[in-house]
Amino acid sequence: MLAGRGVSLRADCVADSAGGLTFDVTAGGASGTAHLVLRRREGQEEVGLPLAPTADGRLRAALPSTVALPEGRWDAYARVADDEPLRLSPGATDLRALTARTPSGSRGHVAVRIPYSPTLGFARAGGPPSRQGNLTVRSWLRAPHAEAGELRPEGAGLTVRGRLYGTCFAPDAYAEVRPRHSPGPARRSDVAADEARFGFSVTYAALGPGVWDLWLRPHGESGPRVRIARLLDDVADKKPVFTYPRARVETEYGPVEAGPYYTRDNDLSVSVTACPSLQ
């Protein structure tokens, strides 16, 4: 059996530049075939990875970038033979390779996996072992993918720069700002494209109160609608980490306060709230 039954087992995690993960589980004297099990929280899917002994007495499992992991949150367990799986807690993490990662996009998609502790909110490269919470892997699989780069709030608007993966731009490409909770029309913005890089601006005065999601239409109306997100770093939950100033502007809907933010899935949106008159 795995040493530590009845207490929390730790798994150290190392990311590689291709998007793969290696897990080292602290164990002593495991008998039987051992696996690291990832269970998708949003469904019934499981992925089992063989745990093999290492020279220092730990058990190691690899999740290469070539193994498909559908988008979602995957809770991590260790299981020996037919025993009940044991929940894993996060140990030391080395996610430095994720911060400099630039996928080729040649497969038509971008796969991202970031280990983290939901209780603690997020994991960062080289972070210390967690004293609470369990180990979860946040996975994204986008085909194609529009990676948000620099966000520049400028007065009454926002300039977005980024990079497109998995497809190319057509001459009629544009960006779309769509209301999330209403059937109202989307607002279009012209896109300046330079090979895979793109840029566009959003004018807050054109937006009514509500949440507006940002999309890229690289092939115009005839092609895919690609959600703009920031995925290619080591932060699993951007929302509490990346914050931006908000602007007060007058619109045809009255005075509003607006600004960009990242959702719990790290997608880029703009929040617009009504406010008292500026007078």
Side-chain angles (χ1 to χ4, degrees):
M1 65 172 4
L2 284 171
R5 180 170 293 278
V7 299
S8 178
L9 292 177
R10 275 187 184 168
D12 297 339
C13 298
V14 178
D16 62 45
S17 59
L21 295 175
T22 299
F23 304 86
D24 283 336
V25 179
T26 302
S31 59
T33 303
H35 286 83
L36 187 142
V37 177
L38 298 175
R39 288 181 176 173
R40 191 180 184 191
R41 193 178 301 170
E42 296 86 351
Q44 303 299 316
E45 296 170 84
E46 268 192 9
V47 173
L49 306 171
L51 279 165
T54 63
D56 61 4
R58 295 187 294 177
L59 296 175
R60 176 169 295 172
L63 176 65
S65 60
T66 53
V67 172
L69 196 67
E71 188 159 326
R73 291 170 173 81
W74 296 77
D75 295 327
Y77 300 80
R79 179 169 60 199
V80 174
D82 295 326
D83 292 348
E84 283 296 313
L86 301 175
R87 195 73 167 88
L88 291 173
S89 64
T93 60
D94 185 351
L95 309 182
R96 288 172 294 179
L98 299 181
T99 63
R101 186 180 174 216
T102 304
S104 68
S106 60
R107 297 178 182 174
H109 68 263
V110 168
V112 177
R113 296 88 175 265
I114 304 178
Y116 75 108
S117 168
T119 301
L120 298 180
F122 60 94
R124 293 302 304 265
S130 169
R131 294 185 179 179
Q132 57 181 327
N134 294 313
L135 177 62
T136 296
V137 175
R138 181 64 173 96
S139 174
W140 289 267
L141 189 62
R142 301 287 172 96
H145 169 56
E147 175 74 5
E150 180 186 14
L151 303 186
R152 187 180 298 168
E154 298 175 317
L158 172 71
T159 297
V160 179
R161 301 191 186 282
R163 185 180 182 93
L164 179 65
Y165 294 91
T167 189
C168 56
F169 286 102
D172 55 348
Y174 61 91
E176 217 171 48
V177 186
R178 302 184 63 83
R180 184 185 302 174
H181 302 298
S182 72
R187 308 292 193 264
R188 291 191 181 187
S189 294
D190 293 334
V191 167
D194 180 8
E195 295 184 345
R197 300 190 179 277
F198 65 86
F200 66 92
S201 296
V202 177
T203 302
Y204 295 149
L207 309 178
V211 175
W212 296 76
D213 296 329
L214 276 62
W215 299 78
L216 198 62
R217 301 297 297 267
H219 301 168
E221 292 184 356
S222 62
R225 180 180 288 120
V226 183
R227 190 71 165 94
I228 300 174
R230 180 164 179 165
L231 308 180
L232 298 175
D233 58 26
D234 63 335
V235 183
D237 184 3
K238 307 289 192 298
K239 190 172 183 178
V241 179
F242 293 88
T243 58
Y244 300 92
R246 297 172 63 80
R248 292 169 63 92
V249 298
E250 286 284 0
T251 74
E252 62 179 285
Y253 310 96
V256 301
E257 187 177 83
Y261 76 99
Y262 286 106
T263 71
R264 65 188 300 269
D265 291 321
N266 293 351
D267 297 323
L268 180 60
S269 297
V270 170
S271 169
V272 181
T273 56
C275 59
S277 172
L278 300 180
Q279 299 298 325

